[in-house]
Amino acid sequence: MAVHDTQIMEIAQRIRGLREILEVPVEEMAGLLQISPEDYQALERGEKDFSVTLLQKCAIRFGVDLIELLTGENPHLSFFTVTRKGDGIRMSRRSGFRYQHMAHNLKGKLCEPFFVVAPYSEEEQNKPITLSTHEGQEFDYILKGTLRVRMEDHVFELNEGDAILYDSGHGHGMIATNGEPCEFLAVVIPKE
């Protein structure tokens, strides 16, 4: 079993354990995540990977910090946290996208800040961009490269220094363009 597979299994075990402790039915979790009960159970068995969106929904339902699901540890700083370059909690979610959580030690966060690298894929360039949703808002700031963004029926490109703030309850998706990965800061603000 690879390290990534081990991480998926550990996250799955934490989610199953919390669901069982809180006595949340499988059907309720499946409905919350908008997947079938069978697909949800496959997630809990570690047979499928979790997207950041699914993890956020689980964390909110269970009343825990996202970091607790990812690491098994509860954030412990209450005033501020500094995350040095390369030191955030790394996650590989959603078809090659790399996420690095940039404030994992701060408890009571009102947002989830990520450094994200969207991979360039020639195959994705002429396909419709897959959409996802999650409650709340998201702010994305482009650091390097170009990001093609789809907001339901609207498609446009963001370049270095461009930013977007949106209601993430609406369908949204993105891919890197121009032959190179795109690096950006994503700040996810959950709905209270």
Side-chain angles (χ1 to χ4, degrees):
M1 183 179 280
V3 172
H4 182 69
D5 292 339
T6 302
Q7 183 186 25
I8 292 169
M9 186 58 73
E10 289 171 354
I11 292 169
Q13 289 170 348
R14 282 190 279 276
I15 287 174
R16 180 179 176 190
L18 282 166
R19 182 185 60 75
E20 289 176 348
I21 288 168
L22 297 171
E23 298 179 347
V24 179
V26 166
E27 294 75 18
E28 179 182 332
M29 289 304 297
L32 175 71
L33 302 179
Q34 299 177 334
I35 59 177
S36 71
E38 295 78 19
D39 285 343
Y40 178 79
Q41 289 175 315
L43 287 169
E44 278 195 357
R45 289 190 301 269
E47 296 170 2
K48 294 185 175 190
D49 200 355
F50 293 88
S51 69
V52 172
T53 299
L54 291 181
L55 287 171
Q56 287 172 326
K57 287 180 179 181
C58 289
I60 290 167
R61 174 59 184 91
F62 299 147
V64 299
D65 193 283
L66 174 64
I67 298 305
E68 195 168 343
L69 291 180
L70 293 171
T71 67
E73 296 180 20
N74 201 356
H76 53 277
L77 300 175
S78 60
F79 178 36
F80 71 93
T81 184
V82 173
T83 303
R84 301 287 182 198
K85 182 177 181 176
D87 284 347
I89 299 272
R90 294 180 191 276
M91 303 183 313
S92 295
R93 306 281 179 253
R94 193 187 149 214
S95 65
F97 274 59
R98 291 190 333 257
Y99 293 82
Q100 187 173 4
H101 198 289
M102 300 305 291
H104 59 281
N105 283 325
L106 188 67
K107 63 182 174 181
K109 290 182 290 298
L110 300 178
C111 67
E112 301 289 346
F114 296 95
F115 171 70
V116 183
V117 178
Y120 176 79
S121 167
E122 186 65 39
E123 181 181 311
E124 291 181 329
Q125 300 306 303
N126 296 313
K127 291 182 176 180
I129 298 172
T130 303
L131 300 179
S132 65
T133 62
H134 52 90
E135 299 226 349
Q137 297 180 336
E138 185 169 332
F139 173 80
D140 297 334
Y141 179 81
I142 309 305
L143 300 168
K144 182 179 176 184
T146 303
L147 195 66
R148 182 172 300 140
V149 177
R150 178 177 170 202
M151 295 287 153
E152 293 182 346
D153 296 331
H154 307 278
V155 178
F156 48 90
E157 292 193 354
L158 298 175
N159 298 297
E160 184 176 321
D162 292 342
I164 183 172
L165 175 66
Y166 53 94
D167 177 342
S168 51
H170 290 273
H172 60 280
M174 52 208 59
I175 61 169
T177 62
N178 293 340
E180 64 182 10
C182 180
E183 298 177 0
F184 62 100
L185 179 65
V187 180
V188 178
I189 306 151
K191 187 176 182 178
E192 290 187 26

